[in-house]
Amino acid sequence: MSFSNRDFMLLDQRLFKAFMAAAQTQSFTHAATRAHMTQSGVSQHIAKLEEQIGVTLFKRIGKKVVLTDAGNALMQYVRQQMHSTQQFMDRVHAMETRVAGLVSYAMPPSCLMSPHFPMLLERRRAHPDIELNITLTSTQEVVRMLLENQVDFGFVTENNNHPLLRYRLFCQEEYVLVSSDPLPLQELTDSSILEQRFIWYPGSSYYYDRWLKHVFPERCNLNTYSLTFAGEINSINGAIDMVAGGLGMAVIPSHCVASLLEQERLYRHQASQPLLNDIHIITIKDHEYPRRVEQVIDWFFDMVADK
């Protein structure tokens, strides 16, 4: 195939930054913030792209700007170009001893409070060219982000055996019911539990359902919807503060409240058997990952082996 230098200039890749920011935020105003540009700069870059391609890339629906079919095609093209560029960089870096580049992963917020995260940061000190991009979200969102190629890997609290994913057991965490008052926890029954008040936070429904089934297995109809909630908050840290402040009870991973239990600012219900849940690291099956991603995943498994 023969081509001229002009073929490389058909699309000005410097304009892709504004385009992708607008595609992701559906707003030129928000795109300007994400791309560190002015709103007029974003508009000008997109107008230049539309001029170069000869089609409209966005259409306005209400207060949002959404991609046209041509815009969607360009977004896929840009992602392919970014992937190809990253593959090239990976090959170049593989020729050297250093490991470099961006590693992105997602996990439930409780994982950030585990001892593994500080250990990861310590390991990363020896590899300053690795950049970490971490998203805290629910298990369901972790799976979605991985399948949509928004992250390299993820941590999940549930193994749903998705056919496209590889699940590797990482560790276990214990779920405990905690309260600032020890008295209601001492003789908790399937009836008295309905008289208590609880705190809801993102992901807590899974914890409540697991705990209720574990402690009261004979009450198969007892679940999160059976409980009375005194409040809700959008973070596990805030939920812990609300429980410590006496607003209600909550089921929390034990490592998140270990210090408060030791200080007796919180008390836990003593179940006959601990409720342990598997935490998995998930990746795309049969996908060849860059060396930097495999390196970070190996760090996590090394942490477990060293314990």
Side-chain angles (χ1 to χ4, degrees):
M1 179 189 300
S2 63
F3 50 83
S4 66
N5 290 336
R6 181 178 178 278
D7 292 317
F8 289 105
M9 301 302 294
L10 290 177
L11 291 178
D12 186 348
Q13 296 192 13
R14 292 173 297 179
L15 308 177
F16 290 167
K17 182 178 180 181
F19 168 76
M20 291 299 287
Q24 291 164 355
T25 62
Q26 296 187 327
S27 163
F28 286 2
T29 302
H30 294 158
T33 301
R34 176 170 293 194
H36 303 289
M37 299 171 62
T38 63
Q39 183 175 345
S40 62
V42 170
S43 299
Q44 291 171 11
H45 278 209
I46 292 173
K48 288 180 181 178
L49 264 179
E50 291 179 331
E51 180 182 353
Q52 291 177 5
I53 302 174
V55 295
T56 300
L57 299 174
F58 290 92
K59 57 185 176 182
R60 186 168 294 279
I61 299 179
K63 295 183 178 180
K64 294 183 178 180
V65 289
V66 298
L67 292 171
T68 62
D69 290 342
N72 274 303
L74 178 60
M75 183 173 65
Q76 295 302 319
Y77 169 80
V78 173
R79 285 176 173 172
Q80 290 171 2
Q81 290 296 102
M82 293 170 63
H83 181 66
S84 297
T85 301
Q86 189 62 66
Q87 282 186 321
F88 166 74
M89 296 298 292
D90 290 338
R91 292 192 188 98
V92 173
H93 291 156
M95 300 175 187
E96 304 178 1
T97 56
R98 68 187 181 96
V99 180
L102 175 66
V103 177
S104 59
Y105 67 93
M107 61 184 179
S110 62
C111 294
L112 188 67
M113 304 171 72
S114 77
H116 301 109
F117 186 67
M119 294 168 69
L120 169 70
L121 298 183
E122 186 62 32
R123 299 248 178 161
R124 189 243 171 219
R125 288 178 183 271
H127 299 272
D129 293 321
I130 285 185
E131 178 184 353
L132 296 176
N133 187 334
I134 304 166
T135 301
L136 302 180
T137 188
S138 66
T139 284
Q140 292 76 16
E141 275 295 293
V142 172
V143 171
R144 182 193 65 78
M145 292 179 71
L146 182 59
L147 292 173
E148 294 184 4
N149 199 33
Q150 295 179 11
V151 293
D152 296 311
F153 67 96
F155 290 81
V156 294
T157 57
E158 303 173 55
N159 182 351
N160 294 322
N161 292 315
H162 193 288
L164 298 180
L165 301 181
R166 179 188 181 191
Y167 293 77
R168 282 185 280 178
L169 179 62
F170 173 63
C171 67
Q172 288 185 316
E173 63 181 7
E174 181 186 9
Y175 299 154
V176 294
L177 177 67
V178 293
S179 170
S180 62
D181 183 357
L183 293 180
L185 299 172
Q186 292 176 1
E187 297 183 1
L188 208 57
T189 67
D190 58 351
S191 297
S192 63
I193 193 77
L194 302 178
E195 300 172 3
Q196 305 303 320
R197 293 183 176 272
F198 297 86
I199 305 298
W200 185 94
Y201 59 94
S204 62
S205 295
Y206 177 73
Y207 300 150
Y208 283 122
D209 286 340
R210 285 292 310 275
W211 186 87
L212 290 168
K213 184 176 180 180
H214 178 76
V215 177
F216 306 115
E218 70 284 355
R219 288 290 303 273
C220 58
N221 61 335
L222 198 60
N223 56 43
T224 303
Y225 298 105
S226 309
L227 305 177
T228 300
F229 287 89
E232 62 180 77
I233 195 167
N234 64 352
S235 76
I236 189 171
N237 293 37
I240 293 171
D241 289 340
M242 291 174 76
V243 175
L247 270 72
M249 300 179 177
V251 176
I252 306 275
S254 60
H255 68 264
C256 298
V257 292
S259 61
L260 294 178
L261 291 171
E262 185 177 345
Q263 299 165 20
E264 296 188 345
R265 291 179 58 196
L266 286 180
Y267 300 87
R268 58 178 288 174
H269 174 265
Q270 296 295 337
S272 57
Q273 295 291 333
L275 171 56
L276 301 177
N277 187 65
D278 294 338
I279 306 299
H280 292 85
I281 290 180
I282 59 171
T283 52
I284 301 294
K285 279 184 179 178
D286 303 321
H287 179 74
E288 185 176 346
Y289 281 92
R291 183 164 166 243
R292 67 186 184 280
V293 176
E294 294 287 359
Q295 177 69 80
V296 173
I297 293 175
D298 286 344
W299 285 345
F300 279 112
F301 283 110
D302 289 344
M303 295 173 201
V304 179
D306 291 343
K307 288 183 67 176

